[in-house]
């Protein structure tokens, strides 16, 4: 029979917002020591009174614990409890200091004052009318959120998600969840189909219902898009959906057809695109069909429209710019200059040290001499900043160039409001996904010249598509390949080894001298690799090379899980590089002032995008806010939005695209064998500007270098460019 226990929460040791699982320390009357209680608690708050039923257990490591079976909460009645309760961050606008001031004046009547007579709070030093309004709003929201939490608690939804659901739907939250639980998967970041499906099942939704099947199909296609696919073949899609949903094939077929009729999916015969006699059906999420077909249409149109600037002699221009810049161009660089003069669209691709930046500078010099209006852009803030530094011209991210505004409904630059330019040059073009390229092309005026610069041998974009590679493979657009490594670049073993890797050769691993910039440390034990990485980042590299361990050194890992995956590395690197104890904890993640962090989704509202790296500059428990500086621009996050942020002492190699770091440390082990590919290792090595340290085994490195098979991404852009008429 369950035992009863009553006490006041002293502190929360651990809380998982998704599941509600909580470890709390309780002050129980008659017991000298705090009691540990474990179980599902919805948004448990220090100071609250818990009335529990459960059983005592003995944990082999943590000792005696009370395992919760059921519970009720009540607000605290004592002055101490009320102060603890209010100071816990429960109410935005009241932190520990303010809670103490309020309780000193109102004592045991504090909660009644906030509830019934909030205007009385003006008696408290530091509280004015504006803060009273904020406290009132937060207090009312907290009560309503609790109602939502109580409803969702029985359906396996944690407090963090309940808060997000309330933020999205307000007082309609319970109604929306009851009527359309699958909306949660598309409306709220972090709640996927699996969670929504669990809620729906608990609410009694039929697992064979059309609503569930349609939501499941959309979920599977979005997961495939996250893997890089723009569309997916019809037959394999049916098999995946049937497996995940656990329903008959006919149910999935009906769902796909219904979504097609609704306009949410497009089903297309691939033979009609490629010009083949026989094809298979491809299934697109509607927005990806619009963007892929739009890229082909706009590129064709761009190439067929005359230039806005007057024609000029390309040979004379090449000779002139070499004299003006005091440079000698290689034959392929001259070809690139001529290509820029003669073509409306041009791709310039090449590895490190092949002179891509030199060509950009030469092109800018020529076009500026013609008084052309020039724009420079790159997919990420760091790439744009590097482009500005290398050229002396202002470069912006593509999102900023296109003036994205959530309030105004998206990108403000488009066909109706095109960019004001005669030439646009975009660097790091391999990073541009299908959706972004579509919106960029929509905004380029038909008479402008468009130059894409990038390294096609790097990993493809994080988002769906393989745009740069498809454009090159189509033969529809002129391409210049820069393949000569210049003398100065040949002195860098980073660059030499990058080209060896790209050619399928094992990099040179023996150090060449004290000024070397590429090192290999042989170590196969993941535990020892982790220990060595911590030593390198904290002491050895800063001590020998003078690099800052946080700002200058970046650890890049092929994977997220495992001893040397990004999750484990970040926890350990945070421990040694930023050991301060104050901060905010979200589930099993702790954030502290000074932490290096990364945004993991596009947040158009904040103008912060997937892959942007910043530093935490302020944490305000009272206002429940975290301030992060991204390249000097400060952005504020509410505590509940911190699932958009991860630590970035270590990042995945995929997320490092478009960035360049003074020093990188890369673990390459055989446990990564599923992910080891030539373009992955090539991308990692080319992220380092002055120093690359690879730590792992020769066997793992050889496995990756030899594996030139890139994971197939389903896209028809190459075929559309070959066959589509503008």
């Amino acid at each position: 029979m369950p035992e009863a226990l009553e006490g006041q929460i002293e502190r929360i040791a651990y809380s998982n917002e998704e599941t509600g699982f909580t470890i709390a320390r309780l002050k129980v009357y008659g017991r000298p020591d705090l009691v540990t209680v474990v179980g599902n608690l919805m948004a448990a708050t220090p100071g609250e009174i818990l009335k529990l039923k459960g059983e005592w257990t003995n944990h082999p490591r943590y000792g005696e614990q009370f395992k919760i079976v059921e519970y009720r909460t009540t607000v605290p009645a004592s002055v101490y409890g009320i102060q603890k309760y209010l100071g816990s961050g429960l109410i935005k606008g009241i932190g520990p200091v303010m809670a103490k001031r309020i309780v000193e004046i109102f004592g045991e009547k504090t909660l009644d004052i906030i509830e019934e007579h909030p205007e009385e709070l003006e008696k408290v030093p530091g509280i004015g009318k504006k803060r009273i309004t904020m406290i009132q709003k937060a207090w009312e929201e907290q009560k309503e959120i609790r109602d939502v939490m109580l409803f969702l608690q029985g359906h396996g939804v944690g407090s963090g998600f309940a808060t997000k659901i309330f933020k999205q739907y307000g007082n309609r939250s319970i109604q929306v969840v009851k009527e359309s639980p699958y909306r949660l998967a598309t409306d709220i970041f972090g709640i996927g189909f699996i969670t929504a499906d669990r809620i729906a099942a608990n609410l009694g939704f039929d697992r064979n219902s059309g609503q569930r099947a349609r939501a499941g199909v959309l979920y599977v296609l979005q997961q495939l898009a996250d893997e890089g696919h723009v569309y997916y073949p019809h037959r394999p899609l049916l098999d995946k959906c049937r497996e995940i949903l656990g329903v008959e094939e006919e149910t999935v077929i009906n769902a796909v057809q219904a979504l097609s009729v609704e306009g949410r999916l497009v089903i297309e015969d691939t033979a009609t695109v490629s010009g083949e006699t026989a094809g298979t059906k491809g299934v697109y999420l509607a927005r990806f069909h619009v963007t892929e077909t739009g890229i082909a249409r706009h590129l064709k149109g761009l190439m067929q429209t005359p230039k806005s600037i007057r024609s000029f002699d390309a040979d004379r221009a090449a000779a002139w710019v070499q004299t003006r810049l005091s440079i000698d161009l290689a034959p392929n660089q001259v070809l690139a200059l001529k290509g820029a003069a003669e073509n409306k669209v041009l791709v310039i691709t090449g590895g490190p040290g092949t002179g891509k930046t030199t060509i950009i500078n030469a092109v800018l010099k020529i076009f500026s001499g013609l008084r052309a209006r020039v724009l420079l852009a790159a997919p990420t803030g760091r790439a744009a900043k590097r482009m500005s530094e290398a050229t002396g011209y202002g470069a912006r991210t593509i999102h900023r160039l296109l003036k994205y505004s959530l309030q105004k409904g998206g990108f403000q630059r488009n066909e109706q409001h095109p960019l004001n330019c005669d030439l646009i040059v975009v660097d790091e073009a391999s990073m541009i996904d299908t959706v972004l390229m579509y919106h960029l092309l929509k905004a380029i005026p038909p008479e402008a010249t468009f130059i894409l610069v990038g390294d096609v041998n790097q990993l493809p974009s994080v988002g769906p598509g393989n745009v740069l590679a498809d454009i090159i493979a189509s033969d529809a657009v002129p391409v210049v390949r820069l393949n000569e490594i210049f003398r100065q670049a040949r002195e860098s073993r980073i660059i030499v080894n990058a080209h060896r890797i790209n050619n399928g050769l094992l990099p040179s691993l023996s150090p060449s001298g004290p000024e070397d910039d590429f090192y290999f440390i042989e170590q196969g034990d993941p535990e020892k690799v982790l220990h060595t990485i911590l030593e390198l980042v904290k002491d050895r590299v800063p001590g020998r090379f003078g690099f800052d361990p946080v700002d200058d050194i970046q650890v890049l890992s092929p994977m997220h899980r495992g001893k040397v995956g990004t999750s484990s590395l970040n926890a350990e690197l945070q421990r040694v590089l930023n050991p301060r104890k104050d901060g905010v904890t979200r589930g099993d993640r702790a954030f502290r002032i000074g932490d290096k962090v990364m945004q993991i989704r596009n947040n158009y509202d904040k103008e912060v995008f997937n892959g942007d790296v910043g530093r935490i500059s302020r944490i305000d428990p009272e206002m429940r806010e975290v301030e992060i500086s991204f390249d000097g621009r400060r952005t504020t996050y509410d505590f509940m939005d911190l699932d958009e942020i991860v630590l970035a002492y270590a990042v995945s190699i995929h997320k490092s695209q478009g960035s360049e770091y003074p020093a990188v440390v890369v673990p390459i082990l055989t446990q990564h064998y599923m992910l080891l590919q030539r373009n992955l290792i090539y991308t990692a090595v080319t992220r380092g500007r002055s120093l690359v340290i690879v730590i792992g085994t020769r066997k793992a490195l050889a496995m990756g270098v030899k594996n030139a098979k890139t994971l197939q991404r389903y896209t028809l852009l190459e075929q559309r460019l070959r066959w589509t008429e503008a």
Side-chain angles (χ1 to χ4, degrees), residues 10-24:
E10 183 67 20
R11 69 174 183 272
I12 305 296
Y14 172 82
S15 179
N16 185 310
E17 290 191 342
E18 183 177 343
T19 63
F21 179 77
T22 302
I23 303 172

Side-chain angles (χ1 to χ4, degrees), residues 305-608:
T305 308
K307 282 177 177 276
S308 59
I309 58 170
R310 62 182 173 82
S311 60
F312 56 91
D313 186 313
D315 289 315
R316 286 182 62 191
W320 174 81
V321 80
Q322 289 182 84
T323 302
R324 290 299 297 267
L325 296 178
S326 303
I327 56 174
D328 291 316
L329 295 176
N332 278 7
Q333 289 182 308
V334 174
L335 278 179
L337 270 187
K338 289 182 177 180
E342 295 165 359
N343 297 291
K344 283 294 300 311
V345 179
L346 177 69
V347 173
I348 301 172
T349 184
T354 58
K356 295 192 296 295
T357 301
T358 301
I359 283 301
I360 293 173
N361 279 323
V363 168
L364 293 176
K365 193 74 174 174
I366 290 170
F367 275 74
S368 296
L370 297 168
R371 300 190 183 282
R373 298 162 299 167
V374 174
L375 290 175
L376 304 185
T380 66
R382 288 196 169 196
K385 185 178 180 183
R386 201 166 67 246
M387 196 180 190
S388 294
E389 291 167 351
T391 63
Y393 284 75
R396 284 172 279 177
T397 64
I398 297 171
H399 283 92
R400 294 232 171 90
L401 187 74
L402 301 182
K403 294 186 176 178
Y404 187 92
S405 169
L406 191 67
Q407 291 78 16
K408 295 179 181 177
F411 293 103
Q412 299 306 291
R413 291 293 196 177
N414 48 40
E415 292 122 316
Q416 286 73 43
H417 302 284
L419 295 165
N420 185 23
C421 66
D422 301 301
L423 169 70
I424 177 166
V425 183
V426 178
D427 200 8
E428 294 289 355
S430 63
M431 294 183 65
I432 306 175
D433 65 25
T434 300
V435 175
L436 191 56
M437 180 62 83
Y438 168 67
H439 286 289
L440 175 61
L441 284 166
K442 278 175 68 178
I444 296 175
E447 66 279 2
T449 298
F450 180 35
I451 299 178
L452 286 162
V453 183
D455 186 346
V456 75
N457 294 306
Q458 287 185 29
L459 290 166
S461 57
V462 174
N466 200 359
V467 177
L468 183 64
D470 283 350
I471 290 173
I472 292 172
S474 74
D475 292 326
V477 174
V479 177
V480 176
R481 291 175 173 83
L482 303 178
N483 45 30
E484 181 180 336
I485 308 175
F486 289 93
R487 183 180 59 79
Q488 188 176 356
R490 284 200 299 271
E491 296 172 5
S492 164
R493 284 216 310 142
I494 294 173
I495 291 174
V496 170
N497 278 337
H499 285 273
R500 285 182 64 86
I501 291 165
N502 194 37
N503 291 321
L505 302 172
L506 200 66
S508 169
L509 302 180
S510 302
S512 59
E515 301 301 313
D516 207 357
D517 59 4
F518 184 99
Y519 294 87
F520 176 75
I521 299 173
E522 179 89 35
Q523 181 54 258
D525 182 339
E527 189 73 49
K528 290 179 180 176
V529 169
L530 173 62
H531 179 71
T532 304
I533 289 172
L534 297 180
E535 273 189 348
L536 286 167
V537 175
K538 184 175 183 288
D539 299 314
R540 288 165 60 180
V541 172
R544 179 169 174 183
F545 297 95
F547 291 129
D548 182 275
V550 178
D551 288 333
D552 296 335
I553 305 172
Q554 185 62 60
V555 179
L556 305 177
S557 178
M559 62 198 301
H560 295 292
R561 296 193 180 96
K563 185 64 73 174
V564 290
T566 56
S567 297
S568 169
L569 283 166
N570 271 314
E572 292 298 313
L573 286 163
Q574 183 192 48
R575 180 179 61 80
V576 298
L577 297 178
N578 193 16
R580 58 192 296 162
K581 298 300 180 186
D582 58 323
V584 56
T585 301
R586 310 303 288 169
D588 56 355
R589 294 174 300 139
F591 296 104
R592 302 164 187 164
I593 293 172
D595 273 338
K596 181 159 69 169
V597 293
M598 175 183 279
Q599 176 82 10
I600 58 169
R601 69 180 288 246
N602 287 341
N603 189 320
Y604 298 107
D605 214 7
K606 298 184 189 298
E607 292 189 37
V608 184

Side-chain angles (χ1 to χ4, degrees), residues 103-175:
V103 171
E104 280 175 350
I105 293 175
F106 300 111
E108 293 178 359
K109 295 180 181 178
T110 294
L111 300 183
D112 291 332
I113 292 291
I114 294 173
E115 174 82 34
E116 304 291 343
H117 305 288
E119 68 280 356
E120 294 281 306
L121 292 171
E122 273 202 86
K123 295 177 181 176
V124 180
I127 295 185
K129 285 186 169 59
K130 187 176 178 182
R131 186 173 289 224
I132 287 173
T133 302
M134 182 196 302
I135 291 169
Q136 265 186 293
K137 184 183 176 190
W139 181 258
E140 289 302 317
E141 278 188 356
Q142 193 59 36
K143 288 196 300 180
E144 289 170 345
I145 289 170
R146 283 297 174 109
D147 291 338
V148 175
M149 285 179 180
L150 288 172
F151 167 74
L152 293 174
Q153 184 182 356
H155 304 299
V157 184
S159 57
F161 285 158
T163 306
K164 288 195 162 202
I165 290 168
F166 182 80
K167 186 179 179 183
Q168 178 76 22
Y169 306 120
N171 293 330
R172 297 171 49 246
S173 297
I174 293 174
Q175 179 189 345

Side-chain angles (χ1 to χ4, degrees), residues 275-321:
E276 298 169 358
T277 54
T280 58
K281 286 192 291 186
V283 184
Y284 287 81
L285 288 169
R287 66 183 180 278
F288 295 140
H289 189 264
V290 168
T291 53
E292 187 178 84
T293 56
I295 290 171
R297 187 175 66 255
H298 284 290
L299 267 179
K300 291 274 188 176
L302 201 55
M303 287 188 287
Q304 292 172 6
T305 308
K307 282 177 177 276
S308 59
I309 58 170
R310 62 182 173 82
S311 60
F312 56 91
D313 186 313
D315 289 315
R316 286 182 62 191
W320 174 81
V321 80

Side-chain angles (χ1 to χ4, degrees), residues 13-198:
Y14 172 82
S15 179
N16 185 310
E17 290 191 342
E18 183 177 343
T19 63
F21 179 77
T22 302
I23 303 172
R25 301 279 281 162
L26 245 63
K27 185 183 287 185
V28 178
Y29 180 73
R31 283 177 171 260
D33 299 323
L34 296 178
V35 171
T36 300
V37 299
V38 298
N40 287 351
L41 294 172
M42 292 294 107
T45 304
E48 276 184 322
I49 306 295
L50 287 182
K51 295 183 178 181
L52 307 168
K53 287 187 178 178
E55 59 182 6
W56 291 99
T57 61
N58 203 11
H59 191 280
R61 182 174 176 185
Y62 299 110
E64 189 180 55
Q65 297 178 341
F66 190 82
K67 191 174 180 182
I68 302 165
V69 175
E70 60 179 84
Y71 76 95
R72 286 190 298 116
T73 65
T74 60
V75 295
S78 70
V79 169
Y80 170 82
I82 292 168
Q83 183 177 324
K84 192 92 176 168
Y85 183 62
L86 286 180
S88 66
L90 174 80
I91 305 299
K92 190 169 185 174
I94 302 179
V97 174
M98 192 59 71
K100 186 178 180 184
R101 286 185 200 163
I102 295 170
V103 171
E104 280 175 350
I105 293 175
F106 300 111
E108 293 178 359
K109 295 180 181 178
T110 294
L111 300 183
D112 291 332
I113 292 291
I114 294 173
E115 174 82 34
E116 304 291 343
H117 305 288
E119 68 280 356
E120 294 281 306
L121 292 171
E122 273 202 86
K123 295 177 181 176
V124 180
I127 295 185
K129 285 186 169 59
K130 187 176 178 182
R131 186 173 289 224
I132 287 173
T133 302
M134 182 196 302
I135 291 169
Q136 265 186 293
K137 184 183 176 190
W139 181 258
E140 289 302 317
E141 278 188 356
Q142 193 59 36
K143 288 196 300 180
E144 289 170 345
I145 289 170
R146 283 297 174 109
D147 291 338
V148 175
M149 285 179 180
L150 288 172
F151 167 74
L152 293 174
Q153 184 182 356
H155 304 299
V157 184
S159 57
F161 285 158
T163 306
K164 288 195 162 202
I165 290 168
F166 182 80
K167 186 179 179 183
Q168 178 76 22
Y169 306 120
N171 293 330
R172 297 171 49 246
S173 297
I174 293 174
Q175 179 189 345
V176 169
V177 172
K178 279 182 175 177
E179 293 175 359
S180 307
Y182 293 104
R183 278 184 60 182
L184 304 178
T186 51
D187 289 355
I188 299 172
F189 175 69
I191 299 184
F193 173 79
I194 304 299
T195 302
D197 197 35
R198 186 173 70 240

